[in-house]
Every structure is written in structure tokens, then in C-alpha cells.
Amino acid sequence: MLRAGLGRRSRCCGGLWRSPCPAAASGSARALSAASASPSPGSGGGARSGDAPPAGASNVKPLDGVKILDLTRILAGPFATMNLGDLGAEVIKVERPGAGDDTRAWGPPFAGTESVYFLSVNRNKKSIAINMKDSKGVKLIKELAAASDVFVENFVPGKLAEMGLGYEDIKKIAPHIVYCSITGYGQTGPVVQRGGYDSIAAAVSGLMHITGHEDGEPVRAGVAMTDLATGLYTYGAIMAGLLQRYKTGKGLHIDCNLLSTQVACLTHVAANYLNCKIEAKRWGTAHGSIVPYQAFKTKDGYIVVGAGNDHQFVTVCKILNLPEVSKDSRYKTNTLRVQNRKELIDILSTRFSEKATTEWLQLFEGHGVPYGPINNMQQVFSDPQEIWTTRLPELCNDLLMMYLKYDCIHCFKDTSSGL
């Protein structure tokens, strides 16, 4: 039996699904863990029903009163709905009876019995287990959808339609619904039935081709950037969908997918090929069009320095006590520096290796040049700016788990509302 995992405030059969829960229990639907790091809005029909906090309330959040039915699992979808939850939406996460989201089993590490991976993308949520292969479970999903503002899913295209839970099915009972589908490859095309995982999409989209050492093998990014980027696109699309519904009074179907997201994120690399037929390559920590802009090895670690214009390059040379380099005709402009990359980087690398990282950080401070150390996790979470910006670490205990609460990922400044 799965146990409560992310908080004690939310329990099964509470709020929005209080009525359907008893009937569902006999139809293979039972409550899973609750996931809540902030008080949830009251039950009801979402933002449409006027249950948003009264105007002028000091604790109002941008999405207070918005209800989201979340049928997603793994990362892209949960990351999107978690961010919506951070802004005040009430997120109801639907999971498989007995097992739940796949990421509940991803570990170690575990916080008690809960996967830390699962906890990292499922704060601010409530959870219920529903057997969607059972007609009673399908009925319960429809009841929840009818009372929600947003419906998010990441099933293979056509799978939910087979169950009677596709967009056209939900639209009939909830014409107001903002229905968002997250897939690997979209809703149409020759490979849409393939499962979508981050590493596969990163490979197919070309991200792995451009990631890694210049003369090395393709490398996967340290976190699932394709999934996370898709989650952010989804998050923004849902926000836009809610705005459009506000204007038109009608719901809509949003189609997000991993492949399109990552290809869009290729930005200038894709533009270089499409406009100039320049094939991309791996640059390690360096940049194909800006020099210097990379990591340099110091006496005891690394520092990353970027000179985005000629003035910054002169400043870098001054800090490094290399005035002759800034005057060298081979390095006068960025275009010339790109053309003479190897010679210049050799000179700069030799100089950086002569001092410790902290010495260089002190020398660069206050000169208007982008720079920073390559931090490990311990250094990241003890960095003064990170602590100041996100109020980290605020450690919360709730019997079964511990989690870091990030309360300023989205900073909405409004002194009148206290946000």
C-alpha cells in the first residue's frame, strides 16, 4: 500500500473529489499520496466559478482558484504542473493504483520511503490513484475534468481517446477545458506512436550532437534538459490557454512535444544550418561564435569567463595583465578572435593556470565582465546569491519526507498584494 508522501495537509476524498471517492474505491480507484507544500484553494469549479480569493487579499497568488487535473508522469508534465502549482493552482495528480508515477521507484536516493526524484517535481500537488482501464475510473476522471480548468496528459497519441478521455470526449462535458497533450513527437506523423524519453529526443533533435568535448563523443546533458524545456513550454502554453479562454469563453487543445521543443531550443545552431548550411559541432564549454567564452582551468579548479564585446575583451586582458594581447591586431574584434581562437585561448589558458580560482574571482569582481566558478552542489547551495534569491535552504519536515522549498522561482512584485 502506498503511503502519504509529500505533505499532511491533503488527504484522499478531500476537496474536489470528496463525493466521487467512495464510489471509486469499489471500482479500483483509491487515494494515493498527497503532495502539498502550500495550502490549496477551496473546492469547486475552478476559476470559472468565482471561487478565486477576493480582490485585495494579501495572500493571493496568480493562479489561485485554477484547478488542474494532471494525468502526467515522469518529468516534463509533472515539472509543468508543479510550476503552475507554485503560482497557486490546485493540482490533482492522477496515478496508477499500486505503483503510482514511475519516478516513485527511481532511486536511490530516497527520503524515507519516497524517491527524491519524485519529490523534486511533485510539490504543491494532491494525488489520487485511479484505474483508468475500469469504466468507473473513466467516469471519475470525467467528473474531475468537468470541475477543472486544465487537463494535462502525456499518453501516446490516441491512447486516451480509446478510453473515452481524448480531447473531443472531454470537450463534450467540459467545453471550457484547456486540454494539454505532451508527447514525444506530436499528434501526427510517421513516428508519433514511439515513446518519448528525454535522452532519445535529445539525440534525435541534434542536442547530443552539439554537446561534449570538441574532439570527444556526444554527451547527454547533466539534467534532462529536453524534458525540462518541454515542461516550461507546456507551462507557458497553459498560461496562454487560460488567457485565451478568458477572452473567448472557450477551451482549446494544446499540443506540446519533446522533439519540437528541443529543435526550437537549438536557436542559433539551427539558424546557422538553415541559413548558411553550416553543420554544427561540439565546442565543450566554448562557444562557436564568441571568443573568449568558456571555462579555463585554474591552479585549483575552473573559472568561466565570457567577453561578449570588444570592450569586455580589453577588460579581460587588463585583469589578466596581458595588455599586449588586447592590442594585437589578430584579436581586435570578435570575428578576428573567432578566426584566431586556438592561439588566443592558449595564451589565456596559460595565464589562468597561474592563480587559484578564488584569486581570479576577486580580481574579476566589479569590472563588468561576466564570470563565475564551476560549482559543485555543495557550493551551489551555499552561494550567497542563491541563498538570497531563493531563500535556500529552507528545510521542511513533514514526518515522511524532507524537501527544499523554492519560494521565489517566480517573483511577482506587488507591494499591495504582498507577492
Side-chain angles (χ1 to χ4, degrees):
M1 179 176 179
L2 293 174
R3 304 169 63 192
L6 282 136
R8 298 168 60 194
R9 275 186 283 271
S10 303
R11 292 298 188 214
C12 70
C13 303
L16 184 58
W17 57 90
R18 179 173 289 127
S19 176
C21 219
S26 61
S28 300
R30 62 183 178 78
L32 251 178
S33 72
S36 177
S38 62
S40 59
S43 62
R48 308 174 315 284
S49 302
D51 62 347
S58 62
N59 62 341
V60 66
K61 290 186 177 182
L63 294 183
D64 274 345
V66 173
K67 291 181 171 60
I68 298 175
L69 186 59
D70 179 9
L71 274 65
T72 67
R73 57 210 181 280
I74 313 296
L75 182 53
F79 186 64
T81 55
M82 179 181 71
N83 276 279
L84 294 166
D86 285 346
L87 295 184
E90 181 179 14
V91 182
I92 302 160
K93 182 178 177 70
V94 176
E95 302 188 57
R96 291 176 300 162
D101 190 313
D102 291 358
T103 60
R104 285 183 178 272
W106 288 10
F110 294 94
T113 60
E114 295 287 359
S115 161
V116 171
Y117 191 111
F118 173 81
L119 298 178
S120 73
V121 289
N122 284 289
R123 66 175 177 265
N124 292 327
K125 300 177 185 179
K126 300 173 181 178
S127 185
I128 183 171
I130 299 177
N131 181 1
M132 292 166 52
K133 295 180 180 179
D134 186 285
S135 60
K136 293 181 180 179
V138 171
K139 180 175 181 291
L140 178 54
I141 292 291
K142 289 182 176 180
E143 290 177 357
L144 291 170
S148 298
D149 299 284
V150 180
F151 185 112
V152 194
E153 57 91 8
N154 65 346
F155 286 76
V156 172
K159 190 66 175 179
L160 285 186
E162 292 175 4
M163 302 179 188
L165 295 173
Y167 172 63
E168 294 300 328
D169 302 298
I170 299 300
K171 180 182 177 181
K172 293 175 183 177
I173 59 171
H176 63 274
I177 204 77
V178 175
Y179 189 113
C180 182
S181 299
I182 306 171
T183 61
Y185 304 96
Q187 298 295 315
T188 60
V191 299
V192 295
Q193 293 302 310
R194 293 181 185 174
Y197 268 67
D198 173 87
S199 290
I200 312 304
V204 175
S205 67
L207 177 61
M208 280 193 185
H209 174 70
I210 62 174
T211 306
H213 291 295
E214 185 172 357
D215 299 318
E217 296 182 350
V219 172
R220 176 186 178 274
V223 294
M225 285 310 305
T226 302
D227 268 344
L228 295 173
T230 303
L232 290 175
Y233 268 101
T234 299
Y235 159 75
I238 289 172
M239 297 280 276
L242 288 169
L243 283 172
Q244 180 164 321
R245 190 190 69 185
Y246 176 78
K247 296 176 180 178
T248 66
K250 300 177 181 179
L252 66 155
H253 187 196
I254 298 170
D255 175 15
C256 296
N257 70 81
L258 303 184
L259 180 60
S260 295
T261 292
Q262 190 53 68
V263 171
C265 288
L266 294 177
T267 58
H268 70 281
V269 175
N272 289 346
Y273 178 78
L274 293 173
N275 291 282
C276 306
K277 299 305 177 187
I278 298 175
E279 181 55 77
K281 58 177 290 187
R282 292 182 281 282
W283 287 103
T285 65
H287 194 290
S289 301
I290 307 172
V291 176
Y293 191 164
Q294 66 180 75
F296 293 93
K297 189 171 177 57
T298 66
K299 187 178 286 187
D300 63 348
Y302 293 88
I303 184 172
V304 178
V305 174
N309 56 53
D310 296 336
H311 175 72
Q312 289 181 344
F313 175 69
V314 172
T315 303
V316 169
C317 291
K318 181 179 179 180
I319 295 170
L320 297 179
N321 195 23
L322 294 172
E324 69 280 4
V325 174
S326 65
K327 298 174 183 177
D328 193 314
S329 61
R330 295 173 297 172
Y331 312 130
K332 279 293 185 179
T333 67
N334 180 68
T335 299
L336 289 169
R337 292 192 291 274
V338 171
Q339 292 172 355
N340 297 285
R341 176 192 301 266
K342 186 180 186 309
E343 298 88 342
L344 176 57
I345 295 304
D346 285 346
I347 295 171
L348 300 182
S349 296
T350 298
R351 186 72 178 99
F352 275 111
S353 68
E354 296 173 2
K355 295 182 184 293
T357 301
T358 53
E359 294 180 84
W360 287 122
L361 295 177
Q362 292 169 2
L363 288 170
F364 272 88
E365 180 65 29
H367 283 85
V369 174
Y371 74 97
I374 294 181
N375 288 332
N376 60 27
M377 291 302 100
Q378 187 277 327
Q379 292 166 327
V380 168
F381 292 111
S382 60
D383 182 89
Q385 183 61 40
E386 176 66 8
I387 292 173
W388 176 261
T389 302
T390 61
R391 281 74 145 178
L392 282 175
E394 180 184 336
L395 193 62
C396 304
N397 286 288
D398 197 348
L399 292 182
L400 295 174
M401 57 79 64
M402 295 185 297
Y403 60 93
L404 288 171
K405 178 184 176 185
Y406 297 76
D407 64 353
C408 197
I409 303 302
H410 314 93
C411 292
F412 288 82
K413 299 299 184 183
D414 182 348
T415 54
S416 64
S417 67
L419 285 172

